[in-house]
Amino acid sequence: MSTAMNFGNKTFRPRPPDKGAFPLDHFGECKSFKETYMRCLKDNRFDNSRCRAESKTYLQCRMDRQLMAKEPFEKLGFKDLLEEPAEKHEAKS
Amino acid sequence: MRNIFLCDNNIFTQQTNILLYLKIGCTCRYPQNLSQVKHTCLKGHFTCNSRIMLLPFLLRGCTAKHYVQLSSTRLCINCCNIRELATSGGQLFFRRTPQRFLNQSRGAKTHKRKPQEDDWRKRNKTVLTYIAAAGVGMIGLSYAAVPLYRLYCQATGLGGTAVAGHNTDQVETMKPIRERIIKVTFNADTHASIQWNFRPQQSEIYVVPGETALAFYKARNPTDKPVIGISTYNVVPFEAGQYFNKIQCFCFEEQRLNPHEEVDMPVFFYIDPEFDDDPRMARVDTITLSYTFFEAKEGQQLPLPGYS
């Protein structure tokens, strides 16, 4: 952490997360989703923008198994992913 | 004018004697018949009515015979001036103010200065008292400020870190800034006493500000005993830390790992879109997120950062 002897500088103040801590996935219930996500990252040279759908499914898995508080995905920043299916529906119909 | 005055009760028509009676409480009057008074070199002597109060005066003033040069027109003035001699004894029984009025012509300045100086001194004293009270008040305020600030932080929820707090609703509305690509590298550390194997599952991730991202760490407990760990994090460079917002992670809470257990620990975060507007961050392309795990003892109460 702050191992350097810089007394004059401002120290780093860690902030608690907005929605708290993830409960541990002791039973590996969402491990497969995680593997999918990691594979996607490796394939896309670790570009997060391309693997957002996979991260969304992982979070969905967590919510389903009580490993995360249920929240609408707009609040988690996945609004663009939710709008796409709606657009596709409109385009089809 | 209630002091001793000279009054002429009896004016004899004789040429050589003018009998002037000195009586307490008399007012000075001109003689009734001026024509009857012959002027210059008249002898006069004072007598006074003796009252018991005025015994010393009686002894002093009345027995002395005083030769006064009187003129007809100035009779009253002179008789009034005799007050100067007479009141020296009478001041024991009367107010002192007449003395001041008498000597007014001589010592006017010193007597005017005294009440003024007293006035100034009084005013200075009050001003000094006010200033001293203000000083003491300031010292007291500075001591009281510590608990008061703590109360204020509890009331407003700032928790001691008066940073321009990021808005949690912003996650919904923020727009990703596609032009600015930032590399986030991950680092994992453990304290010496904890025997976990703790490492990130990806070495880096490329994100843009305004977009949420997910990253994973892995922790393994190789020992035969359950171990409780608690972690904290650090962001380098220091100024970028205020833009690094975690929605959810595994830090600051006790995490228990059973013997020989391995878990995935996700971190869900985003970088504030205002990162792009900050001129100090113009040349920052890499942010390093570093987690450190410590061992937590059973029943140990660790203080949460930012909340005292």
Side-chain angles (χ1 to χ4, degrees):
Chain A
M1 279 199 328
S2 52
T3 49
M5 294 287 195
N6 36 356
F7 296 110
N9 297 358
K10 289 176 282 189
T11 52
F12 178 76
R13 284 206 149 268
R15 268 178 296 155
D18 294 342
K19 304 213 192 303
F22 278 122
L24 282 186
D25 183 8
H26 288 280
F27 304 111
E29 289 155 353
C30 294
K31 196 161 177 157
S32 55
F33 295 90
K34 182 214 84 176
E35 293 294 340
T36 320
Y37 177 69
M38 295 306 297
R39 215 173 302 130
C40 167
L41 276 183
K42 280 186 187 117
D43 294 338
N44 290 297
R45 292 177 305 166
F46 297 103
D47 188 0
N48 175 60
S49 317
R50 295 195 207 190
C51 297
R52 300 198 65 234
E54 280 80 2
S55 62
K56 180 168 166 292
T57 50
Y58 176 81
L59 293 175
Q60 182 72 56
C61 161
R62 274 218 162 219
M63 280 189 213
D64 294 337
R65 284 158 183 72
Q66 304 289 323
L67 292 170
M68 185 174 163
K70 279 204 196 293
E71 273 201 58
F73 278 107
E74 293 90 7
K75 290 224 167 96
L76 298 172
F78 289 112
K79 197 162 74 164
D80 51 336
L81 291 179
L82 294 172
E83 279 171 3
E84 270 187 32
E87 280 177 15
K88 277 184 190 164
H89 274 296
E90 281 181 24
K92 277 183 190 170
S93 62
Chain B
M1 301 219 303
R2 293 187 297 138
N3 294 309
I4 302 166
F5 291 93
L6 195 64
C7 82
D8 42 30
N9 273 345
N10 286 319
I11 298 175
F12 292 114
T13 55
Q14 290 170 8
Q15 281 190 357
T16 52
N17 285 332
I18 292 181
L19 195 66
L20 300 166
Y21 282 102
L22 198 67
K23 192 173 177 186
I24 310 303
C26 291
T27 55
C28 191
R29 281 178 294 170
Y30 277 99
Q32 305 279 342
N33 298 321
L34 273 175
S35 58
Q36 292 172 349
V37 177
K38 297 291 176 194
H39 39 268
T40 65
C41 302
L42 293 171
K43 261 197 249 178
H45 70 271
F46 301 98
T47 62
C48 64
N49 285 337
S50 61
R51 287 187 189 181
I52 301 208
M53 294 195 313
L54 292 174
L55 199 58
F57 173 78
L58 182 74
L59 291 170
R60 214 153 67 90
C62 291
T63 51
K65 281 197 182 166
H66 184 74
Y67 293 91
V68 191
Q69 188 164 21
L70 297 170
S71 68
S72 59
T73 53
R74 289 173 62 203
L75 180 63
C76 203
I77 297 167
N78 283 345
C79 84
C80 287
N81 279 340
I82 292 161
R83 266 185 276 141
E84 292 180 40
L85 306 167
T87 53
S88 57
Q91 68 189 351
L92 292 169
F93 306 98
F94 293 91
R95 286 193 296 228
R96 286 179 190 263
T97 46
Q99 190 81 17
R100 235 179 266 154
F101 287 138
L102 284 174
N103 299 336
Q104 209 167 9
S105 53
R106 252 185 282 152
K109 279 187 188 168
T110 54
H111 283 286
K112 261 190 195 155
R113 246 188 233 142
K114 252 200 172 178
Q116 210 176 34
E117 271 180 16
D118 285 343
D119 227 2
W120 288 342
R121 276 205 198 101
K122 228 186 265 176
R123 208 160 34 121
N124 284 348
K125 255 190 207 167
T126 50
V127 168
L128 274 173
T129 324
Y130 277 123
I131 289 175
V136 170
M138 289 291 169
I139 292 173
L141 260 180
S142 63
Y143 274 108
V146 174
L148 281 176
Y149 184 67
R150 202 174 290 146
L151 278 173
Y152 162 74
C153 281
Q154 279 177 1
T156 58
L158 286 178
T161 55
V163 180
H166 60 282
N167 197 1
T168 46
D169 298 332
Q170 162 189 52
V171 183
E172 266 183 272
T173 53
M174 64 185 181
K175 293 223 177 323
I177 299 166
R178 299 268 166 219
E179 306 83 38
R180 190 84 188 267
I181 295 176
I182 300 164
K183 181 165 119 173
V184 181
T185 52
F186 299 94
N187 182 39
D189 282 322
T190 47
H191 188 65
S193 60
I194 195 169
Q195 287 162 323
W196 286 5
N197 297 334
F198 180 57
R199 60 190 185 281
Q201 293 194 37
Q202 68 284 309
S203 55
E204 69 226 4
I205 260 187
Y206 293 92
V207 299
V208 295
E211 202 172 59
T212 52
L214 188 64
F216 285 95
Y217 282 79
K218 191 192 287 278
R220 185 167 172 275
N221 181 9
T223 65
D224 297 325
K225 286 179 298 191
V227 176
I228 299 173
I230 193 160
S231 69
T232 183
Y233 75 100
N234 192 14
V235 176
V236 177
F238 172 76
E239 293 86 5
Q242 60 180 336
Y243 296 106
F244 190 90
N245 304 319
K246 296 186 314 306
I247 298 172
Q248 209 159 357
C249 71
F250 53 89
C251 41
F252 308 125
E253 273 197 20
E254 292 181 354
Q255 311 289 357
R256 185 193 166 93
L257 273 185
N258 293 319
H260 302 285
E261 192 181 357
E262 189 176 37
V263 288
D264 299 316
M265 290 173 166
V267 181
F268 194 44
F269 65 94
Y270 69 94
I271 294 174
D272 200 313
E274 286 180 4
F275 180 90
D276 197 34
D277 300 328
D278 193 340
R280 291 178 302 172
M281 302 283 113
R283 276 178 288 174
V284 173
D285 290 325
T286 308
I287 294 179
T288 303
L289 176 65
S290 174
Y291 272 92
T292 309
F293 253 102
F294 299 87
E295 185 164 358
K297 306 274 187 296
E298 285 276 353
Q300 191 178 35
Q301 278 273 338
L302 287 170
L304 278 176
Y307 298 89
S308 52

